[in-house]
Amino acid sequence: MPFDVVCIAVIGKMNNPLYIKNCSSTYQDLKCHYIAHTSIDLVEERISTTKHTDQYLGLLYAMEELAVFGYITNTRVKFIIVTSLQDVAIKDQEMKNLFRKIHNSYVSLVSNPFYNPDSHKPIVSANFERAMAEVTAT
Amino acid sequence: MESYPLEYVLHHVPLMAVSGLLDTEVLGNNDGMLQEDAGGSLRKSLLSVLMSKNNASIWDAAAKKEAPFFHVTVLDKTHVFPPRRSPRATPAQHSNLSPLNPISPLHPDGIMIPAWIQRHKETRPSVVVGFYDLWERSEAVDSSDPLGAQQTLSLERERDLILCSEVMEKKRNTGERGIKFAIVITLQASRGDDTHVEERLAFIRRTCSLDNKSLFVLLAQNADLQLFVTIMQKSLYEQSANYYRDHDKRIRKKKARLPPISAMRATTSPTSANIPSSTGTPAKPLPPAGWHLRYEFKLGVFAEFRQDVEAAIKHYETTYHLLIELMHAAIGPNSGPPMAQDFLQPFTTRWTEARTLADCVNLKICKLHLYTDRPVPALQQLDKHISACKMFPEFVGRPSTEEQQGVSSGISKLGNLAGGGSFDYWAWVSIQYRVFGELIELATGKIGLRLPFPPPGAISAVNTGTGQAQSFLNTISNTSMNALTGGDMPAAQFTPSSATSPSLVVQHAGYYYFIAASCAEERWKKFRDAEKAITSAPPPPPSAATGARAGHSRIYADIPSSPFSPLMSSTSTHPQSYESSLGSERDVDHATFVIELLTKSYEQFKKHRAGRMTLFLASEIARVYEQSGKYEMALKFFERIGKTYRKEHWPSVLRDVLRSSAQCARTLGRWETVAECLVELLNERMSKPGPDGESERKAVLQELLSVIRGEGSNPSNGIKVIVDMDQLEGFLLCTVQFRKHSTYVGVAAPFQICLKAASSKSPPVAIRISRVQIAFSDSRFDHVFSDSTADGIAKAREVQWVDCTDCSLTTVEEGREVYSKAIDLDFQPGMSKVLEGTVTPGEGMDLKISAVSIVVTAGEGSLILVYKIGERSEDTSTRRKWYSGDGDEAGINRWTMLDGSGEQSVLRVIRKQPNLTIQLNHAPPGLINEEYEVDVEVVNEESEDVEAFLDVEFRSSGADGLDATSYIKQQTNHLESPTLPGNDHNAINLIHLGVIPAHARVSRRFWLKCTENAGERVMYNIVNYRSISRTATSPTSPEKATPATHPEFFFRKNEPVRIPFVAPFNPEFKETVEFGAPFDAGEVGLFSARSQDGKLDMMHLRNIGLKIVCPGPWELEVTEVMFTQAIDETVGVRSVQVAPVTNTSTSNPNGEVWKAGYVHSRVFRVVAAIDPMAEVSQIPLGEVGVRWRRKVPNRNSTSWVETRICLPKLKISHDSVCACIDIPPLIFYTEPFTVTYTLYNLSLATHHLSMNMEVTDGFVFSGYKQTQARLLPLSSMVVTYNCVPIVCGKTTLPKLKISIMGEEADLTKHGPGQEVTDLRVRGGVDSGVGTAGELIAFVRPKNS
């Protein structure tokens, strides 16, 4: 992968944070939260101004040497991947695959009958955690 | 952007000079005054049209390529351009801006100054346009005077020649400089199509050898100046471009004489062989590379003048590269070709000039890229520029041990230079980004650049190779931009091969302003570091500042100290310049700078409707305010942004905001705000997970309590803080629940207040709540639970249920009472407390729990957490829960689900209609005249006492209003005055039934009476009642309330009962008439003479049979049936005797019982004597009175009532002739029978009768069909005829029609006389007179 994942965020349909993982050492957790929160703006803009056919939303914005990519599920759950800004082109397919992985783990999380997707509580799941670690490791 | 020399920055447009438009020149013209005036105003307006575009925004010049325009300058008519130096000119003839000219500011080695551009922009026109008037004779030509015409023509020619010489003079002068010359000839009076004028114009053109494009004719009358100027400029545009092209060629020629750049790079020392030799000053002249640079820049400027953007970009880029190369060569002793040592040394004026030029050229390149819709190369140019300038010595920061942390994480790449960059560097980067942002903003605003560019998924990965991507971006931008400007953004299509290069995406200006702001902040930081380094001579040990220095750990981390030794700085070689820049830096208000940039960014994001990004920026602004000590402003911002994070549940962000707000408020001494923030920070979600967070929250709680105690404020009296817990994410949640949605007045309604910890570890340590106050919408119900301060159940239970149903009413203040109880209010972490209480409302209302306040006291201060239950919106997601507990640990303690969802904070108190029934005991149907007994019984089925009032009304069931035939009374005696005063006899109102005890009944007896009109009557029984409760909380009601005075207290229940009333007796009458012979001595004679006075009476004899039938259903007791004869005083009635034939008159005092269907019969014989001459039609006879009562077993107290039955009146007929028809009783089929007519003459005159037999179908008859007879006064005669029936059944009998003819009158003369109608039929079963006067008989079948 030609890029480093700095942060992965899962945002609920009510724009509440479900899961925010900071994978970097240089950035503070708070920064990740801010990025995840501000990216909702761009997600909303993307899905309202374009005929949104793809779940992958592409690059949302680049700011402060970070590039923020977005993905939205049918249930309006948003996935955000933040990478460090580098002078290389990131193939959308690669990014999409990463999002697919997150989506799959989220699907298996929701399939758990004891998980309430409508609760505003953050995701606490060892499996999900492990899957996210795999995503960032690859 | 405006900080740079405007000449460098502005867009260049060709210059046009106009002459002949100034008023002073006009004065020299001694033409007619009239003409002059018109021409003067025309010139003025022409001038204003021409100059108007000078002020036009020049940023978007290139966007309107189709409408080229000029910058216009005005020249005096006599202006003469200095002749150009010949190429072979002596060195002394160098331009005074050339480095070769000793008086030039560039002498000896300057590259470029803005004045050079200014010269071309303002004093070196590409086109000169002269405005001239064509002389025209003022008077009309007299065609008949050939001499005059000739004279005029020669005058004109003379004038034209003068004009031509002027023009040619000018043309020669401008031509020497290569300036294009054109003239505009104004025709004041003539029209353009005048052939004579055309000839003159052609002459002028020929004489001056002007081409078509250089001579314009302006008609002064009705000229559209705007259009004229546009057309003129358009046609001159190409020529002006040629002018600049000539310049271009000239420069190129000069440049070609220089040694090529590659050669210069190869040589080790600058060669001055072929460059224009300097004047021999000791200073080193401009090296050839500098000349190259200068020429390239000039080429770029001229290309821009002729709007050749592509060429301009090319030349500017070359200029830029050369310049950077030169500058790098100057600072890098070992790097790069030594083509310009000792030239362009840092910290010199030339260096500053060069930097300005580099910045401006960079800006130009970016701008021109944007003009041509290529945002990506523009961005790349910016990146290139920044990385190229990084190594400038003044930008190098002071080396420190912690370089990387020295720069905020967001701009670490920009800070990737030695020492993290100096404040000068950051100031410069900030300006670069700000300028770029401004350019982007202009581009989006003016030429409709759509961002982000490239749109997602637009670039194929195939093209992402370095060089290819570059060219691809350049090409795609043009095409896709055009496509984009038209419609909406197309859907992002991510093909498998698409790719995104985040660093090459151009975003809207807000992002660049934000970077600029970050850089400005970094500059501030660097400046502080530098200051500190100077003030603190012995630097602190490096390890002291290894703590978090990155951007946002601003509350608890103090301003980081950046230790470095000033001695290590590379800038130490230029201490003076460093000192001066530091000095000027001290005067800069950094915070304002940063905030200005952040605000610019904020506005951009706001424009793009990125609300959350603006919140982020607002938090940044607040942070900067805080850093700059403007805590008021910071607090204002923090307060504004917290809301969204709270709403969308972003605790970690909210925590940061709250901590910052608390910090600001603390500094400002606003302890209420501090407490409010601290309360919210107690929420576990706001802190880090794990023990860190817990200890953090413990500290927060400690601080909170000390704040409340007032330790921060002065004097420390303790403060009272009210926190609205519904507006923040609290650590303690409060819900209320009424068990039921509604209750009845007087019925206790239980409710529960559940205080629940927001998480298992909140509050971090056990706290003691001093009071829990529950405010109801009606303050009479308010509850206060105070802490018993007893060490209650130390065992930590998950849910603690507290029984508060036995509260006592205590007075808290003057005239205010609340229910209160002391309970254990120790609140352990993670626990829930359920306080169950009851309210017993005493009246109907909607009772609402409006607020719950939890009071925590510390010292003298108190913290009041208010939960505004009444203002909460409806929550439909959670089921209603009720904790069923009994306080006993062994008992059943669990949550049970109630119906419905959310929070039931409203109790509907219904004034329950106490169960009260009205029963009627009576025996329908009632009988007319009877005193009908009704018992109204009111039963209280409640367990409470009820006070009741009864209204009764009795009337016919028909229309409203009084019914005069119906009476009601409550007493048993005297029916005639049955009611209380003031009440009508149909109704009795307000019968006080008193207080009816629970489950008791009260009855009242009424008697109803109807005098006439059998039928249905209605008895309305209306009870107004109220329950009297002793337990409920109720308003004090007046002592003696009645429904009339206080209708609001009473329920009303109406029980209408329909009662049929029937007549007790049905009388039937049968009347028979007896006829006696006239003058019969007996009383039955038709006439009789009285013995006493000998008068003649007409006697009427009747037998009247009366049958009184009892229809039932009740048995009646009858004591007396009595006939009372009516006293008749009609004139002419001599005597009336009515005598019962059967003397069965009963007068049994005990009464005899008439059962249903019993028939009581009476026959009365009536003999009436009437004066024959009197006109008497009927005589009343009398009535039969029946005294009776209903037979009720075991009761004799009912009074007797009398029903009167009236006998029918005796009808007297006054016909003079009457006929009695005797028909045999039985008539059989085909058996002959005789019908006898007996005719009586009742008058005292003789009557002639004419008789006709009217034949019918059913019979054949024998006898006269027509006959006549004479009837003497008071005589009778008999007429008989025989009939044979020929049909069976009820048949019409042949009838004898009897007519009375006039006395001795001719039958034929008078026609049919008066018909006898008094027909009486005797005998014959089922025979009689039909309705039409026909005789009817019944014919039976023949006996076998």
Side-chain angles (χ1 to χ4, degrees), chain B residues 1098-1109:
Chain B
M1098 193 176 183
M1099 303 300 290
H1100 284 267
L1101 277 82
R1102 303 285 161 88
N1103 287 320
I1104 295 174
L1106 168 65
K1107 277 202 281 186
I1108 301 174
V1109 183

Side-chain angles (χ1 to χ4, degrees), chain B residues 822-841:
Chain B
I823 54 171
D824 172 34
L825 283 175
D826 188 38
F827 202 88
Q828 297 287 336
M831 82 181 304
S832 294
K833 241 181 215 301
V834 178
L835 314 178
E836 182 169 338
T838 56
V839 284
T840 312

Side-chain angles (χ1 to χ4, degrees), chain B residues 980-1039:
Chain B
L980 299 169
N983 287 339
D984 61 69
H985 57 236
N986 280 113
I988 308 171
N989 290 332
L990 285 179
I991 304 165
H992 188 222
L993 299 179
V995 174
I996 310 172
H999 303 296
R1001 54 182 63 204
V1002 165
S1003 86
R1004 290 283 185 275
R1005 176 165 293 177
F1006 297 93
W1007 278 270
L1008 312 177
K1009 184 169 177 179
C1010 304
T1011 51
E1012 283 167 40
N1013 298 348
E1016 206 169 54
R1017 303 290 202 282
V1018 185
M1019 182 178 181
Y1020 297 96
N1021 303 284
I1022 299 156
V1023 183
N1024 287 297
Y1025 60 103
R1026 57 170 180 166
S1027 69
I1028 298 172
S1029 169
R1030 287 173 193 83
T1031 53
T1033 312
S1034 57
T1036 49
S1037 57
E1039 280 302 304

Side-chain angles (χ1 to χ4, degrees), chain B residues 874-908:
Chain B
E874 205 163 314
D875 169 29
T876 51
S877 58
T878 51
R879 280 281 297 276
R880 294 211 303 133
K881 283 198 299 187
W882 184 263
Y883 192 75
S884 20
D886 48 9
D888 184 10
E889 209 159 325
I892 308 151
N893 293 304
R894 62 188 174 87
W895 290 103
T896 47
M897 293 296 171
L898 298 180
D899 59 318
S901 59
E903 197 175 29
Q904 187 66 37
S905 62
V906 183
L907 177 72
R908 171 147 293 181

